[in-house]
Amino acid sequence: MATAALDPITSATTDASPEAVVVRFAGDSGDGMQLTGGQFTLSTALAGNDLATFPDFPAEIRAPQGTLFGVSAFQINFGSTDITTAGDAPDVLVAMNPAALKTNVKDLKPGGLIIADSGEFNDRNLAKAKYDANPLEDDSLAKWQLLSFDISKLTMESVKEFGLGNKEALRCKNMWTLGLALWMFDRDRQPIVDWLKDKFAKAPVLADANIAALNAGHAYGETAEIGGAGLGLKQLNIAAAPAPEGLYRTVTGAESISLGLVAGAQLASLPMFFGGYPITPASAILHHLSRLKEYGVTTFQAEDEIAAIASAIGASYAGSLGITSSSGPGIALKGEAIGLAIMTELPLVIVNSQRGGPSTGLPTKTEQSDLYQAVYGRNGDAPMPVIAARSPADAFDCAIEAVRIAVEYMTPVMLLTDGYIANAAEPWKVPDMSGYTPFPVTFLDKAQEGGFLPYGRDEKLKRPWVKPGTPGLMHRIGGIEKALNTGHIEYSPANHQAMTELRRDKVLGIANDIPDQDVELGQKGGKLAIVGWGSTFGPIYQAVRRARAKGLDVSHIHLRHIWPMPKNLGDLLKSYEKVLVPEMNTGQLKTVLRDQYLVDAKPLNKVSGQPFRIAEIEAAIEEQLT
């Protein structure tokens, strides 16, 4: 066991517990780090802490064991105060092998704690991680606190009585590690025990072995005196975060969107049809919705992306709420069919869980590079409303809003999330649905006075929704240009001009039906506005909060409605001397803001596949105001 002098989380000279702690579990893809992190998240939520998580894993289904590109990590930031990001730098790094240490230790805070499985630091694994010497035995980790012991051996001993083979026994290693983490932060093991019994109900020996490993890791923390003199490591109890009374659960972005889509369909009094095709990181939406059949949800896994959206358009034509989902490459394939939905003016919700691009790009990493694609990415003048969720919990309300706009304006709507939102988890107060205003759909069931006009308009420029087979209301449907009012095929220049402008004006008119843009933090007008969208909310909010605490004149504006934008946004932006737009792309929202409002918006760009850190935005704020 190697030790250092400083407490990993608080100064060794104080007994005060910190407000928040960041822990990262890292190991080989087969070490179960995502499962370990997920169960630690469960125990943290049950303890009443606020939290945010960041699962980070390779794109390979099973990368070669022990390699640098096969490392899977799970980071959680939890505390007794408001948590909006997964944390900039870990206080504690659990490294299950040399590759995990090599790829993650550079992010650890100085004085932070490394917990390493010394049993995996053999010559073969060190070579795979490109270490010339064992870092547990030289001085290369001197600026951190190091706790290394043979977790593999200790796990094998803890499950010896169950007669498992070496391979099966070592699969319990993540539960041993979880047990130690539960001891470190004074967490209850019983929820994890219950989960293991349920998970391995058909294999009780495996359940008992994993429970034994969990208990052994916890007991090691209690009895091995790792908090003795010189280490300064002690059991920490992070107080519960203040929160309004109510029912809470942890929710990922994919779960939240799925529930929001179902809630939206219920508020619209419509059955839902989801046509999807598996693609990372959007596949989880199909998985969640397939378990909600009792709410009038039909799910269909199509043979490709084009069939998926085409089936959803067909469902909308038939009188259901059509939904489809993908990430950037799949949205590209769906592009022509999105144009069909715009031309036929049928309601459709398209969820884009963005990932690193272009092409296949970075399938498991996060990015915000599909904004141009969402706003402009179709042939012809084909405007479409675009909404962006800011967090996993926010995705629920964004999904409802997307459904509302789709059915009230007879238009496809794109809902943007990203890989970070889709996979991350946070506490969510389960809402009282009686507080949501229903928006039930009315289908046209008889011809209007003067005859049936399939493309006649109401005050919102919405055409009527007619179920096929309704007597007396036969009409054409398809992608060829429609004649004004009648919907007949019409190629005339004047008609195309008029119909193009009508479709544009219908979408722009949605701005009359959305809230004015507010200021998240700060005041209207001043020296600097930080304008964000999507998952940059957390780091922007915290960076602005810190900057304002230093007396800097900076405000935070965050957009939910990307297209059309709120009516007051132009005047709001012009009330600031400077505008800075942090984005996980090369400056897409910045360009749209410049185009629409002629403001000199400046970019802060990051396209590394990783979310922004608070410190990066805080430094940019100080630079702008220097």
Side-chain angles (χ1 to χ4, degrees):
M1 182 187 298
T3 65
L6 296 177
D7 186 286
I9 298 163
T10 60
S11 169
T13 62
T14 177
D15 292 327
S17 292
E19 284 189 339
V21 177
V22 180
V23 178
R24 181 181 297 179
F25 300 93
D28 193 73
S29 293
D31 284 337
M33 293 297 94
Q34 302 305 316
L35 187 147
T36 302
Q39 292 307 305
F40 188 77
T41 299
L42 170 65
S43 68
T44 300
L46 290 172
N49 298 130
D50 197 10
L51 63 93
T53 70
F54 177 42
D56 189 16
F57 43 87
E60 290 81 6
I61 293 174
R62 186 64 178 90
Q65 191 169 4
T67 57
L68 294 171
F69 57 87
V71 173
S72 176
F74 187 103
Q75 182 164 306
I76 176 171
N77 182 13
F78 60 99
S80 58
T81 187
D82 186 31
I83 301 293
T84 61
T85 79
D88 276 15
D91 299 288
V92 178
L93 171 64
V94 179
M96 304 299 286
N97 65 6
L101 179 66
K102 184 77 171 283
T103 57
N104 289 279
V105 72
K106 62 185 181 297
D107 296 330
L108 189 64
K109 289 179 182 177
L113 174 66
I114 300 168
I115 298 176
D117 179 6
S118 60
E120 289 294 319
F121 281 70
N122 54 46
D123 291 343
R124 185 177 179 214
N125 285 341
L126 289 168
K128 286 182 180 180
K130 304 188 186 308
Y131 274 117
D132 296 326
N134 189 339
L136 305 183
E137 298 173 354
D138 59 23
D139 293 329
S140 61
L141 304 177
K143 68 177 179 178
W144 298 289
Q145 193 168 194
L146 175 62
L147 178 63
S148 64
F149 42 86
D150 196 337
I151 296 176
S152 298
K153 181 180 178 181
L154 290 167
T155 301
M156 296 280 285
E157 291 175 353
S158 70
V159 301
K160 188 175 181 180
E161 64 180 284
F162 300 100
L164 302 178
N166 285 353
K167 187 175 181 180
E168 285 185 316
L170 285 174
R171 283 178 178 165
C172 300
K173 188 165 60 171
N174 62 335
M175 286 297 108
W176 195 100
T177 307
L178 177 59
L180 178 62
L182 294 177
W183 172 82
M184 287 176 61
F185 298 103
D186 194 19
R187 297 281 183 256
D188 184 11
R189 282 167 286 163
Q190 192 57 46
I192 314 302
V193 171
D194 295 340
W195 174 80
L196 286 167
K197 289 180 178 179
D198 182 65
K199 178 179 176 63
F200 295 110
K202 295 182 179 179
V205 172
L206 293 180
D208 292 342
N210 277 279
I211 292 168
L214 180 79
N215 291 334
H218 192 277
Y220 190 87
E222 290 180 314
T223 62
E225 298 183 354
I226 60 177
L231 184 61
L233 175 65
K234 51 185 173 288
Q235 190 177 50
L236 287 176
N237 188 310
I238 308 297
E245 184 178 351
L247 175 65
Y248 287 81
R249 58 161 290 184
T250 57
V251 68
T252 66
E255 291 172 323
S256 182
I257 282 177
S258 301
L259 294 170
L261 290 171
V262 173
Q266 296 285 312
L267 291 168
S269 300
L270 290 172
M272 182 206 295
F273 176 91
F274 180 91
Y277 181 76
I279 184 171
T280 303
S283 301
I285 297 175
L286 172 59
H287 302 161
H288 292 305
L289 286 175
S290 67
R291 295 192 285 266
L292 299 174
K293 294 180 175 65
E294 65 269 31
Y295 297 103
V297 177
T298 299
T299 53
F300 168 57
Q301 181 174 315
E303 64 269 30
D304 56 42
E305 297 281 8
I306 298 171
I309 187 171
S311 66
I313 294 172
S316 288
Y317 176 55
S320 292
L321 174 62
I323 310 284
T324 192
S325 171
S326 193
S327 63
I331 298 296
L333 289 167
K334 296 178 189 290
E336 182 183 358
I338 294 173
L340 174 63
I342 292 170
M343 175 63 78
T344 56
E345 299 187 54
L346 288 168
L348 180 71
V349 176
I350 305 140
V351 182
N352 181 356
S353 301
Q354 301 165 93
R355 70 191 205 185
S359 186
T360 306
L362 307 175
T364 62
K365 308 303 179 184
T366 194
E367 208 164 273
Q368 292 180 299
S369 53
D370 295 351
L371 185 141
Y372 285 162
Q373 183 185 45
V375 177
Y376 305 121
R378 292 159 295 281
N379 68 296
D381 281 297
M384 179 174 65
V386 180
I387 297 171
R390 65 172 60 172
S391 69
D394 183 56
F396 177 82
D397 287 319
C398 287
I400 292 176
E401 176 71 347
V403 172
R404 182 188 71 84
I405 291 174
V407 299
E408 290 189 350
Y409 287 85
M410 290 291 284
T411 179
V413 177
M414 187 168 290
L415 173 56
L416 294 174
T417 71
D418 58 41
Y420 176 59
I421 291 176
N423 295 320
E426 66 178 354
W428 175 56
K429 184 180 180 183
V430 179
D432 179 359
M433 292 307 298
S434 65
Y436 288 76
T437 303
F439 40 88
V441 167
T442 301
F443 292 94
L444 187 66
D445 57 7
K446 62 181 179 180
Q448 308 99 315
E449 186 175 345
F452 173 45
L453 297 175
Y455 283 80
R457 310 280 169 173
D458 64 8
E459 67 280 358
K460 293 182 176 180
L461 300 183
K462 177 185 73 173
R463 81 173 186 91
W465 196 357
V466 180
K467 291 183 180 180
T470 305
L473 300 183
M474 184 183 297
H475 61 287
R476 291 179 175 84
I477 200 81
I480 298 178
E481 183 61 280
K482 304 292 180 291
L484 283 166
N485 296 322
T486 66
H488 298 325
I489 293 173
E490 175 62 74
Y491 292 147
S492 71
N495 180 77
H496 183 56
Q497 180 87 32
M499 289 296 286
T500 299
E501 292 174 353
L502 275 171
R503 290 188 290 263
R504 176 202 64 195
D505 292 345
K506 180 177 73 168
V507 171
L508 292 178
I510 295 169
N512 298 317
D513 198 19
I514 61 177
D516 280 351
Q517 182 62 47
D518 59 3
V519 179
E520 298 292 338
L521 195 59
Q523 63 282 326
K524 296 180 180 178
K527 289 186 178 180
L528 176 63
I530 309 298
V531 182
W533 67 280
S535 65
T536 57
F537 175 84
I540 293 176
Y541 187 88
Q542 294 297 344
V544 171
R545 182 183 64 82
R546 292 179 184 180
R548 289 182 62 81
K550 298 175 183 177
L552 299 181
D553 184 0
V554 58
S555 300
H556 176 198
I557 297 169
H558 214 78
L559 304 184
R560 169 180 283 184
H561 293 274
I562 304 296
W563 196 265
M565 293 179 169
K567 291 189 296 182
N568 70 323
L569 182 59
D571 291 338
L572 181 60
L573 295 179
K574 290 174 183 177
S575 69
Y576 297 93
E577 295 177 19
K578 294 182 177 182
V579 174
L580 181 68
V581 186
E583 298 181 81
M584 292 185 291
N585 57 46
T586 56
Q588 297 186 15
L589 178 64
K590 172 266 301 179
T591 302
V592 175
L593 294 177
R594 286 180 175 180
D595 169 62
Q596 291 298 303
Y597 304 117
L598 300 179
V599 295
D600 188 21
K602 301 293 186 182
L604 176 63
N605 305 131
K606 184 173 184 177
V607 285
S608 64
Q610 301 291 318
F612 273 104
R613 295 184 177 185
I614 300 169
E616 292 171 332
I617 299 175
E618 191 176 3
I621 291 171
E622 294 179 356
E623 181 181 351
Q624 288 291 316
L625 293 177
T626 300

